[in-house]
Amino acid sequence: MRRSGKQRKAELQLKRAVKRGDVAPPEAQPRRKNFRRPPKLGHSLDARLLADDASRAARKLQSQFVKIDPVFLETTKHLAATLPLTRPISADVCLLGVDHAQFGTDPVNDQLNVPRRPKWKYTMSKDDVDANEQGCFRRWMTQTDAMVERWHNQNNQPDASGTDLASAGPSIPDTTVQERMPCPPTHFERNLEVWRQLWRVTEISQILLCLLDSRCPPLHFPPSLESYLTSRRAKVILVLTKVDIAGPERAEAWTAYLRKRHPGLPIVQVEAYQQKVGEQGRPVYESHLPLPFRERLVSAMRQVHEEMFIPPERVRSDEAKLKRWNPPVKREIDWNGLLHAHGKKVGSVVGGAAMPKGKGKEDTADDAQEPEQEASDSEGQLEWQEPEFLTVGLIGQPNVGKSSLLNALFGIHKVRASRTPGKTKHFQTLFWSPDVRLVDCPGLVMPAFTPMDTQVLCGILPISRVSAIPFCIHQIGQLLPLETILGLTHPSTNSAPVEDKRTWRDGKQPSAKDKMHWTATEIMTAYANKKGWVTAKAGRPDIHRAGNAILRLVAEGRIAWAFWPPGTDLATVRSSGGNGIWLIRNADQHAQELDEDDEGGSGYETDEVESPDEGSEDSDEDKHATDEEEYQDADFKPVTVGRFGVLAIDD
C-alpha cells in the first residue's frame, strides 16, 4: 500500500524520537504472511524446472555452423544488384558436377572425414570418456578447418576458373562489369553433442538405411560419410527419397549412376507422401508408403540380413575364431509381418544404450577395447546370447525425409516431421514390429567441399541461419527461372519509360523486353512488390523478407527441381527448354499451389505428434517451428466485410 507524504513524515519523526529516548518504542507487530495463490495447472515449480531442463537440452543439441565474413556479405550484396542472370539458362547446368564439389585442392591429402569416436574401455569413468572425446573432436575441428580454408582460398584466387553451386552453375555472362561472385564457404556440423547422436545410432544399429534425396543424391552421400560407414560393422542400404518430386525418369537415372559408383550397396527408391484433396480443393499430403515401395525396402533388408550370417574373412581364416563365432543378429524375423505392420508396438521404447548384440567376446562394440584378461581364458569367456530384436538405423543429412519415412512405415504419425531441416533433435528408438526396431537419427551436415548455396538449395541448412540471402538468390537464379516460376513483373516497368530520341533503321530498334535483364536484387524487389511487403520506416520493398521467402519455397520443395546425373545425354536434358533444373510438369497447378501457400498456409502437413522419446521438449521445438513458418502467417491479411460492406466507398 502506498503511503502519503504526511504519513512518511510522521513515521520519520517517530523514529527520531525513539532514537533520542523521548518516546518508548512501539510494540513489534506480528509479521504478516504473504498470501500466495495456488499455481495454475502446468505452472508449478516442478513443471517450470522441467521446462527449463528441456530448453537447456534443446540448446545443447542445437546445430552450430561457422560465421560468415561480413566482407563476403557486403561484396555479394553489391554483386547481386549488378550482375545479370543468364537467360535463357544453359542445358549444361542440369547435369550435377560431383567430382569438383567433393574433393579439395589436393585430392590425396585434403580428404574430409567424419569424426570418429575414440577408443574407450569399460573401466574408464564418464569424465574420462567425455574428456577423451572432446580432445579428439577439437583436433578433428582444427584439421577440417585447415582443409576447408585451403579449398576456399584456392577457389577465390583471381585466376581460378569455374563456378560454384557444385560446379553445376553456368558461367557469369560477359558484361561491362568484369566481376564474378566469390566462392562461398561450406558448412558442416560443429557441435560435439550432435555428432554423439550419430555415434550412438551407428553403434546400436545392425542395418543402416542411409537416406539420399533423389534430386541430388551424391551431395547427400559425400566421401566423408561413405568412408565412415565403411568402417562400421553394420550393413548399409542406400534409400532414395522424394521420388515423387524428382520423377521416375530421373530416379531411375540416379539409381543406375549410384549402382555404378557404389556396386556393393543395395539401392531402394521410396516415396513417403500421397496427395489428397483437402478443404477448398487444396492438395494435402499425408504420410503413406505404397506397397510396391514397402516390398522393395523389406526385400533389401531381408537380403542384407541373410548376408550377416556369413562369417567375415578374418573369422573364416582362423579355425578357433570360426568355432566361437556367432551371427550378431536375431535369426528369426517375421518379414511378412513387416509388410502389414503399422506400428502397433511403437509405444514400447528401448533405451539407446542397450546394445542389441550378443554378449560373447567377439561381439563387443566397434569403438570399445577388450578388457585386459587377468583370469584364464575360460573364465573370461561369456556365454553368447542371441539379440532380442533387429535394430535398423536411419541416418542422413537434414531434410532428406528420415522422420517422414518412419511415419510412412508405421502408417501413423509417431515422430515429428517438417519440411524445414533440424526438426529431430535427438535419436528416437521405436518398434516397427516385435522383431524389428527403428532408430531415427538427427540430420547432420556432413563435411564436404560443397558450397553454401548448394546446401541451401538442397534444404540442408535452415533458412533462418542463412545470412547471405542475395548471394543464394543469385546462384539459385542461375539454375531456376525464378521470375517465370513466381510470375514476377520487372521493377523497371513500374516507372515511366525514358524517351529514346535516337534514330534507328527499320527493324533495328531493340524492344524493351530485349533490353530487360534480371538480377537477384530485382527478383527480390519484384516479389516484394507482388506480395506488398514494405519496410516499416522508409516504405521501400522489403527485399530481405522476399529473399527469405523465395529460399524457403526452393528448400522446402514447393518449387519442384531436380538434377540429372553426370553423363546424361544432352538431348534429354535440353527438353527443359531453357528452364534449367525446374520441373515444369503441371506448371499451372504448381503456380496455383504457390499462391495458395502464400495466402493461407501449406498443403503439406507438419506432424506434431510426440514420440515417446522426445520427453518435454515440445515448447522449444514448437517455438522453432513457429519461427520457421512465420513468413507464411505474415502474408495472410484477414478482411472483415459486414452486411453493408459492399456499399462502402473506397478513398
Side-chain angles (χ1 to χ4, degrees):
M1 182 178 180
R2 187 175 182 181
R3 298 169 297 174
S4 64
K6 291 183 179 180
Q7 290 177 341
R8 291 196 299 270
K9 185 177 180 180
E11 291 178 358
L12 182 59
Q13 292 177 351
L14 178 61
K15 184 177 180 180
R16 291 176 178 175
V18 171
K19 190 175 182 180
R20 292 194 304 265
D22 298 339
V23 181
E27 297 181 0
Q29 297 182 357
R31 193 168 185 177
R32 183 180 178 183
K33 294 184 178 180
N34 295 329
F35 175 73
R36 187 174 182 180
R37 296 180 179 179
K40 297 181 180 180
L41 183 63
H43 290 266
S44 62
L45 179 60
D46 295 338
R48 288 195 296 269
L49 293 178
L50 291 176
D52 294 341
D53 293 341
S55 300
R56 284 193 294 268
R59 289 191 297 269
K60 188 177 181 181
L61 292 173
Q62 186 71 30
S63 297
Q64 299 176 5
F65 305 105
V66 67
K67 188 176 181 180
I68 300 180
D69 186 9
V71 177
F72 176 84
L73 298 178
E74 291 297 329
T75 303
T76 54
K77 181 179 179 181
H78 170 72
L79 294 177
T82 56
L83 294 179
L85 301 175
T86 303
R87 295 296 182 268
I89 302 177
S90 174
D92 297 336
V93 305
C94 300
L95 302 180
L96 179 63
V98 181
D99 297 333
H100 178 71
Q102 294 186 349
F103 298 98
T105 57
D106 186 359
V108 178
N109 298 323
D110 290 354
Q111 292 186 1
L112 299 178
N113 52 44
V114 171
R116 265 76 166 177
R117 186 182 184 186
K119 295 292 184 179
W120 55 274
K121 297 181 180 180
Y122 290 98
T123 57
M124 298 174 63
S125 63
K126 178 181 178 181
D127 295 337
D128 295 338
V129 174
D130 181 71
N132 191 19
E133 291 179 354
Q134 291 184 3
C136 293
F137 186 74
R138 284 193 297 267
R139 291 192 296 270
W140 173 82
M141 285 280 295
T142 303
Q143 298 174 359
T144 305
D145 288 339
M147 287 186 288
V148 170
E149 185 177 1
R150 288 196 298 268
W151 167 79
H152 185 260
N153 295 336
Q154 179 70 22
N155 290 338
N156 280 327
Q157 290 181 0
D159 58 345
S161 60
T163 57
D164 302 328
L165 213 66
S167 75
S171 58
I172 301 300
D174 294 333
T175 60
T176 57
V177 182
Q178 298 297 330
E179 292 179 326
R180 67 178 181 90
M181 281 290 182
C183 177
T186 182
H187 291 285
F188 58 90
E189 185 59 59
R190 307 176 71 89
N191 189 356
L192 174 60
E193 294 298 330
V194 182
W195 284 111
R196 284 173 172 168
Q197 304 296 311
L198 177 66
W199 294 347
R200 304 301 185 267
V201 172
T202 54
E203 285 177 359
I204 67 177
S205 300
Q206 299 152 333
I207 298 178
L208 290 174
L209 302 181
C210 184
L211 275 64
L212 313 177
D213 192 338
S214 60
R215 299 175 296 180
C216 50
L219 298 181
H220 294 273
F221 196 57
S224 59
L225 179 60
E226 181 183 0
S227 61
Y228 175 75
L229 296 180
T230 304
S231 63
R232 312 304 299 180
R233 296 184 180 179
K235 296 292 184 179
V236 180
I237 300 177
L238 300 182
V239 180
L240 292 181
T241 60
K242 304 181 181 180
V243 177
D244 51 340
I245 299 179
E249 189 176 359
R250 281 180 172 84
E252 290 296 336
W254 278 117
T255 301
Y257 174 83
L258 292 175
R259 284 175 179 170
K260 183 178 180 180
R261 193 178 182 90
H262 310 285
L265 299 179
I267 303 173
V268 182
Q269 302 177 13
V270 296
E271 58 181 41
Y273 288 97
Q274 66 176 353
Q275 181 177 347
K276 292 185 177 180
V277 179
E279 298 179 357
Q280 301 179 358
R282 295 181 179 178
V284 178
Y285 298 88
E286 295 182 353
S287 300
H288 175 70
L289 183 64
L291 184 59
F293 293 101
R294 183 185 293 265
E295 291 177 349
R296 297 172 193 170
L297 180 60
V298 173
S299 176
M301 294 173 54
R302 184 173 186 176
Q303 179 182 357
V304 169
H305 178 263
E306 294 176 354
E307 295 177 358
M308 300 184 72
F309 290 98
I310 302 176
E313 182 64 26
R314 61 181 180 84
V315 176
R316 293 197 301 265
S317 59
D318 191 345
E319 295 183 359
K321 290 184 178 181
L322 184 59
K323 293 180 180 179
R324 299 195 307 266
W325 185 85
N326 292 285
V329 293
K330 182 179 176 63
R331 293 181 179 272
E332 299 295 333
I333 302 294
D334 185 10
W335 298 106
N336 293 329
L338 291 180
L339 295 176
H340 307 285
H342 294 287
K344 296 182 179 179
K345 200 182 176 184
V346 293
S348 302
V349 182
V350 182
M355 295 290 292
K357 299 183 178 182
K359 297 183 180 179
K361 184 178 178 181
E362 294 293 334
D363 297 305
T364 56
D366 293 346
D367 299 322
Q369 292 182 353
E370 296 182 3
E372 297 180 0
Q373 295 182 357
E374 298 180 357
S376 61
D377 294 339
S378 59
E379 296 176 354
Q381 294 179 359
L382 300 175
E383 183 180 357
W384 181 83
Q385 297 180 3
E386 182 179 340
E388 299 178 1
F389 33 74
L390 175 67
T391 304
V392 181
L394 280 74
I395 63 175
Q397 298 201 106
N399 206 30
V400 295
K402 297 180 292 297
S403 300
S404 300
L405 179 59
L406 273 181
N407 291 331
L409 289 174
F410 294 145
I412 53 178
H413 308 315
K414 296 302 298 182
V415 294
R416 292 179 176 271
S418 176
R419 288 175 302 174
T420 55
K423 189 65 175 179
T424 305
K425 298 296 183 183
H426 52 81
F427 76 91
Q428 307 168 69
T429 307
L430 303 172
F431 270 101
W432 187 6
S433 71
D435 300 328
V436 180
R437 67 173 182 177
L438 300 176
V439 185
D440 183 17
C441 179
L444 289 91
V445 181
M446 300 296 172
F449 295 109
T450 304
M452 173 190 62
D453 44 316
T454 306
Q455 296 175 324
V456 173
L457 174 67
C458 300
I460 297 175
L461 296 179
I463 304 301
S464 59
R465 307 284 291 274
V466 177
S467 55
I469 293 179
F471 170 78
C472 294
I473 293 294
H474 175 85
Q475 296 296 87
I476 295 176
Q478 300 281 32
L479 303 176
L480 292 168
L482 296 176
E483 68 280 2
T484 304
I485 299 173
L486 302 175
L488 304 180
T489 303
H490 200 278
S492 62
T493 59
N494 298 331
S495 58
V498 180
E499 182 181 359
D500 189 0
K501 298 182 179 181
R502 295 175 295 179
T503 58
W504 298 89
R505 295 180 181 178
D506 295 340
K508 297 296 183 179
Q509 184 177 4
S511 61
K513 186 176 181 181
D514 296 336
K515 296 185 294 184
M516 187 180 302
H517 298 285
W518 284 93
T519 64
T521 303
E522 289 172 346
I523 287 179
M524 293 186 291
T525 303
Y527 193 66
N529 292 335
K530 180 181 179 180
K531 295 299 178 183
W533 296 339
V534 295
T535 57
K537 293 184 179 180
R540 299 189 183 94
D542 195 347
I543 61 175
H544 296 286
R545 181 181 179 184
N548 189 288
I550 294 174
L551 291 182
R552 292 177 188 274
L553 293 176
V554 175
E556 295 175 1
R558 300 189 202 176
I559 297 179
W561 60 270
F563 284 103
W564 285 98
T568 306
D569 187 10
L570 291 179
T572 305
V573 177
R574 289 193 181 95
S575 60
S576 60
N579 291 307
I581 61 175
W582 181 36
L583 303 180
I584 59 177
R585 59 178 184 273
N586 300 329
D588 297 336
Q589 179 183 359
H590 178 65
Q592 182 180 2
E593 292 179 6
L594 287 180
D595 295 337
E596 291 177 352
D597 289 342
D598 289 337
E599 293 177 0
S602 168
Y604 291 83
E605 62 179 4
T606 300
D607 301 336
E608 294 294 339
V609 181
E610 179 184 357
S611 67
D613 284 344
E614 284 194 292
S616 59
E617 196 178 338
D618 295 346
S619 59
D620 188 73
E621 291 204 0
D622 291 340
K623 177 181 178 182
H624 289 291
T626 304
D627 294 338
E628 293 289 342
E629 303 296 338
E630 181 179 0
Y631 79 101
Q632 296 180 3
D633 300 335
D635 300 343
F636 181 76
K637 298 180 180 179
V639 179
T640 304
V641 180
R643 181 178 301 177
F644 303 101
V646 295
L647 302 179
I649 300 177
D650 297 334
D651 295 335

